[in-house]
Amino acid sequence: MTVLLVALGAAVGAPARYLLDRAVQARHGSRFPWGTLTVNVLGCFLLGLLTALPAPSLLASLLGTGFCGALTTYSTFSYETWKLVRSGSWLPAVSNMVVSLVAGLGAAYVGIVFAGAWLFR
């Protein structure tokens, strides 16, 4: 049952990642990977929120492992950063690494805080 819930979450998360990434990237004329940054930060926020809530394990599998796992993408982040380095765009590459790490951790923290505020209101 758990495997099916993970697959169901991933079946929704992967197309959501693709569509959101393309929509965000289409609004920016730069080579900086704004779309990937957006989906990764959003996924960190959602996973922080989910992990701070008392969610049953099947719901955590569906939303955490399945949806958030498919929504976020470390491999695309790595590839796009490597493309920036290879093209000589060192500042955008380093910026992507730093902003992704700081914003991702910050978003997870904000998700945890939001969940705590919601639980203790």
Side-chain angles (χ1 to χ4, degrees), residues 37-65:
L37 177 64
T38 301
V39 296
N40 285 343
V41 171
L42 176 62
C44 289
F45 170 77
L46 293 173
L47 195 55
L49 186 69
L50 179 66
T51 57
L53 294 173
S57 65
L58 290 178
L59 184 61
S61 296
L62 171 73
L63 298 176
T65 305

Side-chain angles (χ1 to χ4, degrees), residues 13-29:
R17 175 187 62 190
Y18 175 77
L19 293 171
L20 183 57
D21 174 271
R22 294 296 87 209
V24 170
Q25 201 61 40
R27 294 183 181 268
H28 299 279

Side-chain angles (χ1 to χ4, degrees), residues 64-79:
T65 305
F67 181 77
C68 288
L71 178 68
T72 60
T73 172
Y74 190 78
S75 57
T76 302
F77 156 74
S78 300
Y79 171 72

